[in-house]
Amino acid sequence: PKSVYIIEFSEAVTYYENDFNSPTSDFVGLGFEVKLETDFSSEAIHSVHPYTDNTNNSYMLKVPIILSEDVTKIKYKDVAIVEPGDPGSVYGDEDFWDYVVVEGSKDGINWTEIEDGYDAGSQTQWLSTYNSGGSGTEDMYVEQELDLHNAFETGDTVILRFRLYTDAAVTSWGWAIDDLEIVNSGESINETNITSDKITVYPNPSNGVF
């Protein structure tokens, strides 16, 4: 018998954020979980640690994102201790080996990388930890910023996923992702989350430039 999985998506939005410190049902996928790990002070998305060989696991955001005419950025911080490619290899080469990548899709079937995938070789501290057989820690977080307009156009409604690809050879610690924010840079004040009923304008009085 065949199994059919039905995924219920939320209403599309132009802005999304999640610090993963509260329970969330916004994601679905295999090989990932929102949890608290050793050497991390708060919950985050974590792959299996250590990850297994020969897998292609992903974690999909069930909240579609609408691209505005302005820059639509994906911001997050992560630690990716995954097998680096051979010296001189780049994403897409056969000898790039394991990698992590953020992808988008308009139909849930055809996926496009927002920017090139990367591995432990993209950061000196990550590579050193990989070479020593160590584990990722909170102080290894690196801020990432991707532009959705690299792969999609204004008006597109896109679903996103984080994907960890591993080959059949070497394994390592894995991937952790925290403080996810997706924002259209041209959003008005009414479209963003304002928690205060007062806005300070500087300078005051002004010549019209604030």
Side-chain angles (χ1 to χ4, degrees):
K2 295 182 178 180
S3 298
V4 177
Y5 296 93
I6 298 175
I7 299 174
E8 184 176 352
F9 290 91
S10 302
E11 182 178 353
V13 299
T14 59
Y15 177 84
Y16 177 85
E17 67 175 341
N18 198 329
D19 62 9
F20 304 106
N21 292 330
S22 300
T24 180
S25 58
D26 289 349
F27 289 82
V28 63
L30 298 175
F32 291 89
E33 184 180 356
V34 176
K35 58 183 177 179
L36 181 63
E37 278 283 340
T38 303
D39 295 321
F40 289 80
S41 63
S42 62
E43 292 184 308
I45 296 174
H46 285 270
S47 70
V48 175
H49 302 312
Y51 61 79
T52 56
D53 290 333
N54 205 26
T55 59
N56 193 18
N57 291 330
S58 64
Y59 211 41
M60 183 176 66
L61 176 62
K62 297 188 295 181
V63 183
I65 305 299
I66 304 171
L67 274 69
S68 76
E69 62 183 7
D70 299 287
V71 174
T72 303
K73 291 188 175 181
I74 307 170
K75 301 178 181 180
Y76 60 94
K77 61 184 182 182
D78 72 337
V79 183
I81 312 299
V82 301
E83 179 193 10
D86 286 349
S89 65
V90 296
Y91 176 70
D93 291 348
E94 290 186 0
D95 56 355
F96 194 70
W97 311 135
D98 299 352
Y99 60 83
V100 300
V101 65
V102 182
E103 299 173 319
S105 174
K106 294 191 291 184
D107 58 13
I109 300 172
N110 301 291
W111 293 88
T112 303
E113 61 266 29
I114 308 304
E115 293 185 11
D116 287 351
Y118 52 97
D119 56 27
S122 68
Q123 301 291 329
T124 301
Q125 189 176 23
W126 295 356
L127 183 59
S128 176
T129 300
Y130 169 82
N131 288 334
S132 66
S135 300
T137 61
E138 186 174 77
D139 62 358
M140 296 181 192
Y141 271 136
V142 172
E143 300 287 343
Q144 307 285 358
E145 188 172 291
L146 314 179
D147 184 0
L148 271 165
H149 281 276
N150 290 335
F152 299 97
E153 299 178 353
T154 297
D156 285 346
T157 298
V158 178
I159 52 178
L160 301 171
R161 71 180 184 183
F162 296 90
R163 181 166 67 91
L164 168 58
Y165 170 83
T166 70
D167 63 19
V170 180
T171 187
S172 189
W173 179 79
W175 198 13
I177 305 147
D178 201 5
D179 292 345
L180 174 63
E181 182 180 21
I182 305 166
V183 60
N184 287 308
S185 63
E187 285 181 324
S188 69
I189 290 176
N190 291 332
E191 293 173 319
T192 56
N193 294 336
I194 302 297
T195 57
S196 172
D197 58 359
K198 296 181 180 180
I199 297 176
T200 300
V201 177
Y202 179 85
N204 186 14
S206 77
N207 61 1
V209 177
F210 303 97

